[in-house]
Coordinates of all heavy atoms in Angstrom, one line a residue:
F524 N 81.5 -5.9 -26.9 CA 82.8 -6.0 -26.1 C 82.8 -5.0 -25.0 O 82.4 -3.9 -25.2 CB 84.0 -5.7 -27.1 CG 85.3 -5.6 -26.4 CD1 86.0 -6.7 -26.0 CD2 85.8 -4.3 -26.1 CE1 87.2 -6.6 -25.3 CE2 87.0 -4.2 -25.4 CZ 87.7 -5.3 -25.0
E525 N 83.3 -5.4 -23.8 CA 83.4 -4.6 -22.7 C 84.7 -4.7 -22.0 O 85.3 -5.8 -21.9 CB 82.3 -4.9 -21.7 CG 80.9 -4.7 -22.3 CD 79.8 -4.9 -21.3 OE1 80.1 -5.3 -20.1 OE2 78.6 -4.7 -21.7
L526 N 85.3 -3.6 -21.5 CA 86.5 -3.6 -20.8 C 86.3 -2.8 -19.5 O 85.9 -1.7 -19.5 CB 87.6 -2.9 -21.7 CG 89.0 -2.7 -21.0 CD1 89.6 -4.1 -20.7 CD2 89.9 -1.9 -21.9
Y527 N 86.6 -3.5 -18.4 CA 86.3 -3.0 -17.1 C 87.6 -2.6 -16.4 O 88.6 -3.4 -16.4 CB 85.6 -4.0 -16.2 CG 84.2 -4.2 -16.7 CD1 83.9 -5.3 -17.6 CD2 83.1 -3.3 -16.4 CE1 82.6 -5.5 -18.0 CE2 81.9 -3.5 -16.9 CZ 81.6 -4.6 -17.7 OH 80.3 -4.8 -18.2
F528 N 87.6 -1.5 -15.7 CA 88.7 -1.0 -14.8 C 88.2 -0.9 -13.4 O 87.1 -0.6 -13.1 CB 89.3 0.3 -15.3 CG 89.8 0.3 -16.7 CD1 89.0 0.6 -17.8 CD2 91.2 0.0 -17.0 CE1 89.5 0.6 -19.1 CE2 91.6 0.0 -18.3 CZ 90.8 0.3 -19.3
D529 N 89.2 -1.1 -12.4 CA 88.8 -0.8 -11.0 C 89.9 0.1 -10.5 O 91.2 -0.2 -10.6 CB 88.8 -2.1 -10.2 CG 88.6 -1.8 -8.7 OD1 87.4 -1.7 -8.4 OD2 89.6 -1.8 -8.0
K530 N 89.5 1.1 -9.8 CA 90.5 2.0 -9.2 C 90.1 2.4 -7.7 O 90.7 3.3 -7.1 CB 90.6 3.4 -10.0 CG 89.3 4.2 -9.9 CD 89.6 5.6 -10.3 CE 88.4 6.5 -10.1 NZ 88.8 7.9 -10.2
G531 N 89.1 1.7 -7.2 CA 88.7 2.0 -5.9 C 87.4 2.8 -5.9 O 87.0 3.3 -6.9
N532 N 86.8 2.9 -4.7 CA 85.5 3.6 -4.6 C 85.6 5.1 -4.5 O 85.6 5.7 -3.4 CB 84.7 3.0 -3.4 CG 83.3 3.5 -3.4 OD1 82.8 4.0 -4.3 ND2 82.6 3.2 -2.3
T533 N 85.8 5.7 -5.6 CA 85.9 7.2 -5.7 C 85.0 7.6 -6.8 O 84.8 7.0 -7.8 CB 87.3 7.6 -6.0 OG1 87.8 7.0 -7.2 CG2 88.3 7.2 -4.9
P534 N 84.3 8.8 -6.6 CA 83.4 9.3 -7.6 C 84.0 9.8 -8.9 O 83.3 10.0 -9.9 CB 82.6 10.3 -6.8 CG 83.6 10.9 -5.9 CD 84.4 9.7 -5.5
D535 N 85.2 10.2 -8.8 CA 85.8 10.9 -10.0 C 86.0 9.9 -11.1 O 86.3 8.8 -11.0 CB 87.2 11.5 -9.6 CG 87.1 12.6 -8.5 OD1 86.0 13.3 -8.5 OD2 88.0 12.7 -7.7
P536 N 85.9 10.4 -12.4 CA 86.1 9.5 -13.5 C 87.6 9.2 -13.7 O 88.5 9.8 -13.1 CB 85.6 10.4 -14.7 CG 85.8 11.8 -14.3 CD 85.5 11.8 -12.8
M537 N 87.8 8.2 -14.6 CA 89.2 7.9 -15.0 C 89.5 8.6 -16.3 O 88.6 8.5 -17.2 CB 89.4 6.4 -15.1 CG 89.1 5.6 -13.9 SD 89.3 3.8 -14.0 CE 91.1 3.7 -14.1
I538 N 90.6 9.2 -16.4 CA 91.0 9.9 -17.6 C 92.2 9.2 -18.2 O 93.3 9.2 -17.6 CB 91.3 11.4 -17.4 CG1 90.0 12.1 -16.8 CG2 91.7 12.1 -18.7 CD1 90.2 13.5 -16.4
F539 N 92.1 8.6 -19.4 CA 93.2 7.9 -20.0 C 93.8 8.7 -21.1 O 93.2 9.5 -21.8 CB 92.7 6.6 -20.7 CG 92.3 5.5 -19.6 CD1 91.1 5.5 -19.1 CD2 93.3 4.6 -19.3 CE1 90.8 4.5 -18.2 CE2 93.0 3.6 -18.3 CZ 91.7 3.6 -17.8
E540 N 95.1 8.5 -21.2 CA 95.9 9.2 -22.3 C 96.5 8.2 -23.2 O 97.1 7.2 -22.7 CB 97.0 10.1 -21.7 CG 97.8 10.9 -22.7 CD 98.8 11.8 -22.0 OE1 98.7 12.1 -20.8 OE2 99.8 12.2 -22.7

Side-chain angles (χ1 to χ4, degrees):
F524 172 78
E525 300 185 354
L526 178 60
Y527 292 98
F528 299 91
D529 176 82
K530 67 160 187 170
N532 189 10
T533 58
D535 298 326
M537 300 181 73
I538 302 176
F539 286 88
E540 182 179 341

